[in-house]
Amino acid sequence: MKYLDSHVLRPILQSELQLRRVVPESASHVAQSLVETSTRGVDSHGINLFPYYVSAIEGGRINPTPRFTWAARKPSVAVLNADHGFGHHAGSTAMDAAVEMASQTGIGAVSVRESTHFGAAAYFALQASRRGYLAFAFTNADALVRVHDGRTAFFGTNPICFCAPMDGEDPFCLDMATSQVSWNKIVNKRDAGELLPIGWACDQEGESTIEPGRAAMLEPIGEYKGYGLGMMVEILCAVLAGGPLGRDLLPMYGSPLNEQRAISHFFVAINIVDFVDAKNFTEQMTELARRIRGLRPRGKSPVMISGDPEKHNYRKRQTQGIPIEDAKYAQFLQVSAEFKKAAL
Amino acid sequence: MKYLDSHVLRPILQSELQLRRVVPESASHVAQSLVETSTRGVDSHGINLFPYYVSAIEGGRINPTPRFTWAARKPSVAVLNADHGFGHHAGSTAMDAAVEMASQTGIGAVSVRESTHFGAAAYFALQASRRGYLAFAFTNADALVRVHDGRTAFFGTNPICFCAPMDGEDPFCLDMATSQVSWNKIVNKRDAGELLPIGWACDQEGESTIEPGRAAMLEPIGEYKGYGLGMMVEILCAVLAGGPLGRDLLPMYGSPLNEQRAISHFFVAINIVDFVDAKNFTEQMTELARRIRGLRPRGKSPVMISGDPEKHNYRKRQTQGIPIEDAKYAQFLQVSAEFKKAAL
């Protein structure tokens, strides 16, 4: 395991992307999203994705020089065609537009079509909540989660992200797949030679399995509920954007990198002060967090609210660096020897 | 078990409410919501609630003659003060306003404060989706769901409802508590003398229990995920409306009926045609439903989408009537002998 200094790493990521013809604004959002996400401890959606992104640019899947176009605009909604550019850039552009509309009309929503993997949904919703807005970010993804009462994966992990501003600390941040766990956790158990807890995964016949080697699909949270939430996200993203369904999306890995995926996203921003006095909102959020964090815990760790584990990680990794597996670090060095400069 | 004819029942419910000074528009929404919800098979939120509502009017908790006031208005958002009137009427008024704003600007959102129990969230979202809109309905509720890693209930079952129009059939309808099950299911197991499945409930110390008699709280779906969704709903409802938190709400049952509860709701309507061609949306929804319903099932029943079980119930109960337990039917007859006319 190596540790990388996030402050040194960010500009290297950006310049390596720009060296590969990625426009500066895309490169900046990708670098910022990956480093922030890893520093928050969400290793599945942080810098570990970088080697994939480099391959996807080189293969032609991700357009390094996208031309974003607005397909429809009303006072509070818009549709952005991302031209297969980085989802990080498209999503951030969309969320900015949602915030701008919300500042005028109270709420704004933007649908994004023909996009690519956008990294962590929290990147966008945090961006809006740090400016004082309630914010949602959604994306569809390739089929990986078993349909309720069926034997087939149809929806992706279709995440729901919701953020709300807090006083004197980073926003409340819920960023969750609608499956019990991410696929990464199955892979980690397999690599560690451990069995899976009941309820995480099922085999290719749709039967529950605790053997990571037989796992072929993920289980939704709360049975029909997580499955329904996955379909809700699919409707808000793919159906509203007129984009392909998750079931028809190329898988992220193992598919030809010269083929595009056309992922769809959906973003909402809500202007709090059009509903309630800002001070009233802030005080109630503070009170809510204070009371919950003071509840009697089940174990030794205090009760937390969504986003607290990431805030703890952020403080730690800001100084200790971002951990990276040796094999992944070797992939970084294959991309560029510059990354040695970030090693602690 | 008795069976009541929904068509005969609805006007009796309405006139019995009006006899108790409930304004006609409130009475109409309550009667319509209860009958529609029961006919859809959701017995926990249908006509079974009627005797409670009568007590709550007589006790003073629910205001039969509310004066709704709009506290804030922007082109796409508004805040409605429900004056402790029936949540069914307040919610329907709020959803109508959200649809009206969405028709002008693409999206509309309404926060409702100082309301009462609003019955089934689906009543409002279905109303908007039948008019061609995507719709969300949320409400907070008194503390009943254990916080993740804690030993205390802080949030209510805080439901999420999302509906989307479909061609030639009632909308897609997800209406789910963010807990594994509703409290009713615990009560039903207790009454049947059965043990609970693991993961439904915990005792007053916050430890998992399978004994219905020891159950004191419900478990959230997907552990920290359902807990986070519950807090999301709390923020969208109580915090955005400046209303009391679920933890501070009087419980629905067992609290003095002369005390008001001040429940908060939140509604969103999205105008689909401002994003995508209506025909494109409809065709993709039809295709999505067709493909999922045709997937290989795990058991003998076909794979369904959210709202399908309710559609099956609706067809059946339209002709066979709404089932009602003898003890509950006796409560109806105590309210009025008129209900005999609805018995099949």
Side-chain angles (χ1 to χ4, degrees), chain B residues 38-41 169-170 293 301-320:
Chain B
S38 281
T39 311
R40 296 177 74 241
E169 60 180 293
D170 223 29
R293 287 169 178 157
S301 306
V303 176
M304 295 192 280
I305 63 173
S306 303
D308 281 359
E310 290 77 15
K311 289 173 192 175
H312 290 295
N313 285 325
Y314 194 84
R315 280 191 290 274
K316 204 167 81 179
R317 292 188 174 189
Q318 275 280 79
T319 51
Q320 297 181 5

Side-chain angles (χ1 to χ4, degrees), chain A residues 10-128:
Chain A
R10 205 193 52 71
I12 301 175
L13 287 169
Q14 180 166 348
S15 71
E16 288 302 324
L17 288 166
Q18 290 184 219
L19 281 172
R20 284 159 183 83
R21 292 201 307 125
V22 177
V23 292
E25 203 177 345
S26 282
S28 169
H29 278 298
V30 175
Q32 178 64 25
S33 169
L34 294 186
V35 167
E36 175 178 300
T37 303
S38 281
T39 312
R40 297 178 74 240
V42 186
D43 293 315
S44 56
H45 289 70
I47 62 168
N48 285 333
L49 293 167
F50 182 69
Y52 163 78
Y53 289 147
V54 170
S55 314
I57 300 161
E58 290 171 348
R61 167 173 292 177
I62 298 178
N63 181 356
T65 57
R67 189 171 154 268
F68 292 166
T69 49
W70 295 96
R73 289 208 84 145
K74 282 277 210 164
S76 300
V77 305
V79 178
L80 176 68
N81 188 314
D83 194 23
H84 305 284
F86 270 103
H88 315 64
H89 182 188
S92 196
T93 303
M95 187 57 101
D96 273 349
V99 165
E100 173 57 28
M101 292 186 289
S103 75
Q104 299 293 322
T105 67
I107 187 169
V110 177
S111 164
V112 181
R113 53 178 300 172
E114 305 211 340
S115 186
T116 65
H117 191 259
F118 76 5
Y123 178 65
F124 313 103
L126 282 171
Q127 156 191 332

Side-chain angles (χ1 to χ4, degrees), chain A residues 6 67 93 185 204 285:
Chain A
S6 60
R67 189 171 154 268
T93 303
K185 291 205 177 171
Q204 59 184 6
M285 282 298 292

Side-chain angles (χ1 to χ4, degrees), chain A residues 72-79 103-111 113 134 136 138 146-155 160 162 164 172 174-182 185 202 204-208 219 221-229 231-236 238-245 247-248 266 268 270-272 274-276 280-282 284-285 287-289 291-292 295-299 301-306, chain B residues 72-79 103-111 113 134 136 138 146-155 160 162 164 172 174-182 185 202 204-208 219 221-229 231-236 238-245 247-248 266 268 270-272 274-276 280-282 284-285 287-289 291-292 295-299 301-306:
Chain A
R73 289 208 84 145
K74 282 277 210 164
S76 300
V77 305
V79 178
S103 75
Q104 299 293 322
T105 67
I107 187 169
V110 177
S111 164
R113 53 178 300 172
L134 297 183
F136 289 94
F138 306 94
R146 189 176 65 79
V147 298
H148 182 61
D149 283 341
R151 298 176 174 278
T152 317
F154 198 92
F155 300 120
I160 295 173
F162 173 77
F172 169 87
L174 173 69
D175 185 4
M176 52 168 268
T178 46
S179 51
Q180 284 284 355
V181 293
S182 65
K185 291 205 177 171
C202 46
Q204 59 184 6
E205 288 299 305
E207 298 292 345
S208 185
E219 291 283 17
I221 55 168
E223 304 187 3
Y224 79 88
K225 295 181 179 186
Y227 161 61
L229 290 171
M231 184 155 168
M232 175 186 89
V233 173
E234 194 74 20
I235 294 169
L236 289 170
V239 186
L240 199 58
L245 300 175
R247 179 70 175 165
D248 302 325
F266 189 63
V268 182
I270 296 173
N271 196 12
I272 293 164
D274 287 333
F275 291 88
V276 66
N280 189 323
F281 182 88
T282 302
Q284 216 177 350
M285 282 298 292
E287 176 72 1
L288 180 51
R291 288 171 65 182
I292 292 179
L295 293 174
R296 191 158 62 102
R298 244 185 176 178
S301 306
V303 176
M304 295 192 280
I305 63 173
S306 303
Chain B
R73 288 208 84 144
K74 283 277 213 166
S76 301
V77 304
V79 178
S103 75
Q104 299 293 320
T105 67
I107 187 169
V110 178
S111 165
R113 53 179 300 173
L134 297 183
F136 288 94
F138 306 94
R146 189 176 64 80
V147 298
H148 181 61
D149 283 341
R151 298 175 174 278
T152 317
F154 198 93
F155 300 119
I160 295 173
F162 173 77
F172 168 87
L174 173 69
D175 185 4
M176 52 169 268
T178 46
S179 50
Q180 285 284 355
V181 293
S182 65
K185 291 206 177 170
C202 46
Q204 59 185 6
E205 288 299 304
E207 298 291 346
S208 185
E219 291 283 18
I221 56 168
E223 304 187 1
Y224 78 89
K225 296 181 178 185
Y227 161 61
L229 290 171
M231 184 155 168
M232 175 187 89
V233 173
E234 194 75 20
I235 293 169
L236 289 170
V239 186
L240 200 57
L245 300 175
R247 179 70 175 165
D248 301 326
F266 189 63
V268 182
I270 296 172
N271 196 12
I272 293 163
D274 286 333
F275 291 88
V276 66
N280 189 322
F281 182 89
T282 303
Q284 217 177 348
M285 282 299 292
E287 176 72 0
L288 179 51
R291 287 171 67 182
I292 292 178
L295 293 175
R296 191 158 62 101
R298 244 185 174 178
S301 306
V303 176
M304 295 192 280
I305 63 173
S306 303

Side-chain angles (χ1 to χ4, degrees), chain B residues 62-63 65-69 81-85 113-115 260:
Chain B
I62 298 178
N63 181 355
T65 57
R67 190 171 153 266
F68 292 167
T69 49
N81 187 314
D83 194 22
H84 305 284
R113 53 179 300 173
E114 305 211 339
S115 187
Q260 295 175 323

